[in-house]
Amino acid sequence: MVDLSKLEPHVFAERLAALGLRRAAFLQDPTTGLTCSHPELAGLGQSLIGNTRDYDRHQAVFLELGEQTNVLLGAFLHRTRRGQGIGGVRLWSYASVGDFLSDGLRLSKGMGRKNALAGLWWGGGKGVIARPPGQRHEDPAYRAQLFRDYGRFITSLRGAYVTAEDVGTTEPDMAEIHAVTRYVVCVPGSVGGSGNPSPATARGVVSAMEGALDHLGVGELRGKVVAMQGIGNVGGFMLAELLERGVAKIIAADVSPNAVRAIRERHPGERVQVSLVAPGDQSILFEPCDVLAPNALGGILNPDTIPRLRAKLVCGAANNQLLDQQRDALLLQQRSITYVPDFVANRMGIVNCANEQYGTIPDDPAITRHFDPSWENSVYRITRSVLERAERAGITSTEAANALADELAEQPHPIFPERTSQIISGLMASGWARATAPAPLRAASGA
Ligand code: NAD
């Protein structure tokens, strides 16, 4: 029998369509572990459970073949006691269905933890779209079709998952999704969206730095030296926040001549030293400094770089800074380098857009309280809690953040407890997974 998890996503999509299937659901089951909507896909369910690195009793995984494009679409729900799953949708190229599923499981777990630690009344969710082979996704007309397919898929899930922008997707893509569903945030400002999250993200990371410095008993940012990798959207705003707080010096590196020029023009003078570097040049990570802020790439904290770091504290915006969560967190701990887990520091991206449907207010208190150390869920306070817990228990800051997040994720939504479970039960009772492929589906396939 064919191992479906090994198939390329577009081959899997053709196979499903040939079986007359258009949708599939894998649901957490307290007695059997996991139930699968179709016996033909039981093996795939087994491979989900067998993925012990990424599978964590996820509440649900929904798959659909795009109505117009036949592309494999996914929506992944981790814990949803705090509310409906929310998190961005990623458009990415996957070598196999197994890789596609792993990414959705891993990312939705990460979002559940980030949302819970941010005190949001939202659960963990993530969307994944398997990028079709070739460059079709760059054709605007095809792309619009693809994101409308995704929007219709989200509509069919009746609000169990609310989607947003993520790697590989743009604001115009969100506008296409928004044209066919209400369950999307990070939509353009012209239709009531919250706009660029980068200033809030930058301020959140700076709050996390302040919490960590306070925890270390080394005072404020004033007079400190900060090294930054990446001065793009977040890095640029972060630089201004740091200067406002009186840092002694900022050393920054970027691979983009435009980004470097813009910062040099905006901040002439000796306190900011910006270098243009080649893509492989990691030397900024090894500068002597008080705080290192990775604001560009993931995976930069690894056995090659960690022994050479000269910062006491690492706290930045980039996602997935540790190449291997467990191993590299331990390496940092062994070197007595304090690490603020990325999902603790960079929460403001999702915070900025998560509550778009509750309207917008200038200097929205639902946003600004995240920067107020007197609020128990502020970035500052959660950073301190995580670092204190790690120190007390002799564990890494990543383990401490995960443990705190997992506790918070069990808190039920104050108005709609178990709403998402009820939505999922309703979907299954009404035969959501049994919808079959419409006739034009195969004609449009071969994507
Ligand atoms: P961006 O693309 O605007 O900026 C990234 C910058 O890093 C660019 O200027 C790029 O030239 C530079 N860069 C790339 N490779 C580099 C290298 N090898 N060395 C030095 N510089 C390099 O992205 P952004 O919106 O500023 O986001 C930065 C990071 O923060 C990303 O990892 C992103 O996923 C994460 N993040 C962003 C937000 C947000 O609100 N924008 C929220 C949460 C997390």
Side-chain angles (χ1 to χ4, degrees), residues 175-192:
E176 293 297 340
I177 291 179
H178 185 249
V180 290
T181 191
R182 61 181 299 138
Y183 301 119
V184 56
V185 294
C186 304
V187 293
S190 56
V191 292

Side-chain angles (χ1 to χ4, degrees), residues 39 155 186 232 296 300-301 320 334 392:
T155 293
C186 304
I300 45 93
L301 300 174
N320 307 316
Q334 285 162 354
R392 254 196 333 270

Side-chain angles (χ1 to χ4, degrees), residues 36 107 188 222 228 267 334 375 406 410 432:
C36 173
L107 295 166
R222 180 166 297 282
M228 294 174 46
H267 303 284
Q334 285 162 354
W375 185 47
D406 291 344
E410 291 306 321
W432 177 88

Side-chain angles (χ1 to χ4, degrees), residues 101-305:
L101 294 173
S102 282
D103 219 22
L105 292 173
R106 178 177 69 83
L107 295 166
S108 57
K109 182 160 71 172
M111 280 315 296
R113 287 174 166 161
K114 188 186 288 198
N115 294 342
L117 280 175
L120 294 175
W121 290 114
W122 288 99
K126 198 80 188 181
V128 184
I129 302 177
R131 202 168 76 196
Q135 300 305 314
R136 292 185 76 179
H137 65 284
E138 288 175 4
D139 167 36
Y142 179 81
R143 202 171 170 104
Q145 234 181 10
L146 181 59
F147 283 95
R148 287 198 180 212
D149 271 357
Y150 198 77
R152 280 187 288 269
F153 169 46
I154 297 310
T155 293
S156 78
L157 296 176
R158 298 187 188 168
Y161 165 59
V162 174
T163 197
E165 204 176 318
D166 192 59
V167 173
T169 65
T170 63
E171 209 180 59
D173 298 333
M174 294 306 111
E176 293 297 340
I177 291 179
H178 185 249
V180 290
T181 191
R182 61 181 299 138
Y183 301 119
V184 56
V185 294
C186 304
V187 293
S190 56
V191 292
S194 50
N196 182 4
S198 303
T201 302
R203 199 168 157 199
V205 177
V206 171
S207 279
M209 287 178 188
E210 290 175 325
L213 290 173
D214 204 9
H215 166 78
L216 291 170
V218 293
E220 308 172 327
L221 278 164
R222 180 166 297 282
K224 300 284 189 293
V225 176
V226 181
M228 294 174 46
Q229 183 178 50
I231 39 170
N233 268 311
V234 178
F237 287 109
M238 191 184 295
L239 203 135
E241 292 273 347
L242 291 168
L243 289 175
E244 233 173 72
R245 283 164 175 74
V247 294
K249 193 161 76 166
I250 296 172
I251 321 159
D254 202 294
V255 294
S256 153
N258 288 344
V260 169
R261 194 177 319 114
I263 293 295
R264 283 185 182 150
E265 280 170 15
R266 231 179 297 156
H267 303 284
E270 290 187 350
R271 273 210 295 161
V272 181
Q273 295 172 8
V274 189
S275 315
L276 178 64
V277 295
D281 183 341
Q282 300 274 50
S283 56
I284 186 72
L285 302 177
F286 316 126
E287 288 286 343
C289 59
D290 297 292
V291 186
L292 171 66
N295 298 322
L297 308 168
I300 45 93
L301 300 174
N302 56 53
D304 177 44
T305 59

Side-chain angles (χ1 to χ4, degrees), residues 405-439:
D406 291 344
E407 284 165 25
L408 292 169
E410 291 306 321
Q411 291 179 348
H413 190 286
I415 301 168
F416 289 115
E418 310 308 340
R419 179 78 167 179
T420 307
S421 299
Q422 292 161 351
I423 295 173
I424 294 171
S425 301
L427 285 173
M428 293 306 115
S430 61
W432 177 88
R434 290 195 297 277
T436 48

